Amino acid sequence: AQRVTQPEKLLSVFKGAPVELKCNYSYSGSPELFWYVQYSRQRLQLLLRHISRESIKGFTADLNKGETSFHLKKPFAQEEDSAMYYCALSTIYNQGGKLIFGQGTELSVKP
Amino acid sequence: DGGITQSPKYLFRKEGQNVTLSCEQNLNHDAMYWYRQDPGQGLRLIYYSQIVNDFQKGDIAEGYSVSREKKESFPLTVTSAQKNPTAFYLCASSISRYDGYTFGSGTRLTVV
């Protein structure tokens, strides 16, 4: 079965420190992977997609098919990065383009 | 201003009642989804619809029902059969599986 695992419920770092939010998926084919972010009192929004290979708000994520991972990284965390982050997977076998979400990681950036 | 509108923002329900959560989009997206968000459990799919007059059960459809009579609208009814309805409900829409979802702002349902 396809699955997304985010092993850390809570990640706490100091401002200016590097941050890496882990995401592992189970799927043997070519996945579509996404990171979503939910800031306090705001709606869930798309942060980045692996297919576009973009960097948003200083975050990047590289798809590693060998390790089936799509970790989210930022070299210098800012306090405004504090939020809930979800990794999500879509495959050709997911009817209707539905996404499978991980359990989420809460990032807390301390001053 | 294109997007997805969910209403109401907060909803209180007495035990034994059915309630309907509204979701409307003006993005011209074909696919729409309902998820339930609980702390520590991520987002779990309730129902989804790829096209008008068609919808499919997700992973936790029991106790819920939907309709898709118009492209813009995908209301969710939480029935009295849902054993643990208190949760945050999110509606989303998508144009393709490569583009990801656009989410609404959610409805928080509390059973009193």
Side-chain angles (χ1 to χ4, degrees):
Chain A
Q2 295 137 38
R3 186 180 301 157
V4 176
T5 303
Q6 292 179 249
E8 302 135 330
K9 274 191 177 178
L10 173 65
L11 185 62
S12 186
V13 301
F14 286 102
K15 177 183 171 182
V19 62
E20 180 179 68
L21 288 83
K22 292 184 168 39
C23 172
N24 289 91
Y25 65 91
S26 58
Y27 176 59
S28 56
S30 292
E32 302 301 326
L33 286 153
F34 307 84
W35 275 100
Y36 284 83
V37 61
Q38 191 172 31
Y39 300 104
S40 179
R41 301 186 184 281
Q42 292 188 29
R43 65 180 68 194
L44 204 59
Q45 56 188 283
L46 180 64
L47 181 61
L48 54 81
R49 304 173 285 173
H50 95 270
I51 195 171
S52 55
R53 305 182 71 82
E54 58 205 342
S55 172
I56 304 294
K57 299 185 180 185
F59 284 99
T60 58
D62 290 316
L63 174 59
N64 185 324
K65 288 189 178 180
E67 295 184 359
T68 59
S69 68
F70 188 57
H71 303 328
L72 184 68
K73 299 177 185 179
K74 185 169 182 177
F76 308 104
Q78 303 299 315
E79 288 179 69
E80 55 265 30
D81 296 328
S82 295
M84 195 75 183
Y85 291 81
Y86 291 96
C87 182
L89 165 72
S90 176
T91 76
I92 60 170
Y93 297 106
N94 289 9
Q95 259 190 319
K98 58 185 179 180
L99 289 175
I100 298 168
F101 286 85
Q103 299 93 328
T105 297
E106 183 180 353
L107 175 64
S108 173
V109 182
K110 299 180 178 178
Chain B
D1 184 22
I4 298 185
T5 302
Q6 288 187 243
S7 62
K9 203 166 185 170
Y10 299 95
L11 188 56
F12 295 89
R13 189 196 91 174
K14 290 183 180 177
E15 293 220 18
Q17 283 183 337
N18 292 354
V19 288
T20 297
L21 284 59
S22 170
C23 178
E24 304 275 333
Q25 54 103 355
N26 60 5
L27 300 166
N28 202 33
H29 287 174
D30 284 315
M32 296 187 74
Y33 310 84
W34 275 104
Y35 282 84
R36 173 178 167 143
Q37 187 179 27
D38 296 284
Q41 297 197 56
L43 279 70
R44 294 181 291 167
L45 182 64
I46 304 172
Y47 267 98
Y48 65 100
S49 168
Q50 294 176 261
I51 200 166
V52 174
N53 292 323
D54 185 54
F55 48 82
Q56 307 294 331
K57 289 182 180 181
D59 301 317
I60 55 165
E62 187 176 346
Y64 300 98
S65 65
V66 293
S67 62
R68 188 84 187 276
E69 295 174 4
K70 299 186 298 182
K71 188 174 186 176
E72 304 80 21
S73 180
F74 191 41
L76 173 74
T77 296
V78 184
T79 76
S80 55
Q82 168 48 234
K83 289 183 171 43
N84 185 21
T86 294
F88 191 57
Y89 291 88
L90 286 168
C91 179
S93 71
S94 173
I95 198 160
S96 86
R97 75 176 189 94
Y98 301 103
D99 293 289
Y101 292 171
T102 300
F103 279 93
S105 56
T107 293
R108 186 166 297 281
L109 172 64
T110 304
V111 173
V112 295

